[in-house]
Amino acid sequence: MQFDPNNLEQKSIYKLLTGIIIPRPIGWISTISEEGITNLAPFSYFNAVGDDPPHVMFAAGNGQNSNKDTLNNVLATKQFVVNMVTEDLVEQMNTTAQGIPSHESEFDLANLTPIPSLKIKPPRVKESPITMECELVHHYTLEDNKFGGSTILIGRIVMFHIDENVLLDDFKIDLNTYKPVARLAGANYSKLGELFSVKRN
C-alpha cells in the first residue's frame, strides 16, 4: 500500500512514523526557565548529529497556541541537558511526560535529584548514569504545518558526565551495566536484545 502524507490525518502520520522508525533513543531533556523553574521531559525524536564537534538534536512538538516548556526554556536560555534513560529509570521518565503547570518541576513530581551542571545552568538528573551538557547552536521550526509542527533543536555538547560503572577502557560504554531503553510505538519500549557484530568490508 502507498500513503501520501498530504492525504493523511496527522495522527495517522504519527502512528506510521513512530511504528516504522524503531527503536529510537530517548533524550530526557532538562532545562531551566528564566525564572529558575526546572523542567524535565522525554523526547523520542532525538539522536546524535555528529562528533566533530559533538552535537545532538531533539525535536519538540508545538501546540497550535503554545510551545512546550522545554522549547520555551531552551529558546530563552540557549542551554539544555540530555540525561540518558536506563531500565531502572523508565517509570520516573514516564512520570515526567505528564503535562503539569509551568511553575511546577518534574524533578519533584518524579522524585528525582537535580544536581548542578559544570558549564551551563540547567541541572542534570543525578540518577542517570550518562548526562550531556549542551548549548543551543541552531533551531528550526518545520514549515507548512497544520497543528503547530515541531521545532528541531541542535545543541553542541560542552561536557560529558559518565558514571565510571558504565565506562570501559578506551572510552567504550559497557552495555551490560548501562542498560539503555529505547522508544517504540504507543506504550511500548524496548531493552537491548541479542547483540551481533558485522565487520566493515
Side-chain angles (χ1 to χ4, degrees):
M1 299 180 70
Q2 294 81 39
F3 300 100
D4 184 336
N6 291 318
N7 299 327
L8 292 178
E9 294 184 356
Q10 189 272 336
K11 65 180 181 180
S12 298
I13 297 172
Y14 174 81
K15 288 179 180 178
L16 286 175
L17 274 179
T18 57
I20 292 168
I21 303 173
I22 57 175
R24 300 185 306 280
I26 303 167
W28 206 10
I29 309 298
S30 53
T31 59
I32 192 168
S33 71
E34 291 183 298
E35 294 73 35
I37 306 298
T38 57
N39 180 271
L40 181 63
F43 294 84
S44 70
Y45 290 158
F46 160 79
N47 220 312
V49 176
D51 55 58
D52 183 24
H55 284 70
V56 293
M57 64 75 58
F58 74 97
N62 308 323
Q64 287 183 294
N65 299 313
S66 63
N67 294 332
K68 290 187 175 182
D69 291 336
T70 299
L71 177 58
N72 287 334
N73 291 348
V74 175
L75 294 181
T77 68
K78 307 295 190 291
Q79 298 177 336
F80 62 92
V81 177
V82 177
N83 308 273
M84 300 308 294
V85 179
T86 57
E87 291 180 19
D88 58 351
L89 291 172
V90 169
E91 291 298 331
Q92 288 167 294
M93 177 276 298
N94 190 49
T95 297
T96 64
Q98 297 180 35
I100 62 174
S102 298
H103 65 273
E104 297 179 11
S105 174
E106 289 83 359
F107 279 92
D108 297 331
L109 180 69
N111 195 29
L112 291 161
T113 311
I115 56 175
S117 295
L118 294 181
K119 292 190 173 184
I120 62 176
K121 290 184 178 179
R124 300 178 289 122
V125 174
K126 180 180 180 180
E127 292 78 5
S128 175
I130 299 177
T131 63
M132 295 169 281
E133 300 180 26
C134 302
E135 293 182 342
L136 181 69
V137 297
H138 181 67
H139 71 279
Y140 170 76
T141 299
L142 301 181
E143 298 177 349
D144 195 28
N145 63 75
K146 299 177 182 178
F147 302 101
S150 294
T151 298
I152 300 166
L153 301 122
I154 298 176
R156 180 171 181 165
I157 300 171
V158 296
M159 185 63 67
F160 290 95
H161 299 268
I162 303 176
D163 190 300
E164 61 184 20
N165 291 324
V166 302
L167 189 63
L168 298 172
D169 293 338
D170 196 29
F171 298 97
K172 294 179 180 178
I173 302 298
D174 185 347
L175 297 178
N176 292 318
T177 55
Y178 180 19
K179 297 182 180 180
V181 170
R183 191 73 169 91
L184 301 177
N188 298 315
Y189 294 82
S190 69
K191 303 175 183 179
L192 291 181
E194 180 182 354
L195 303 180
F196 63 94
S197 299
V198 178
K199 292 188 179 297
R200 294 187 182 183
N201 295 327

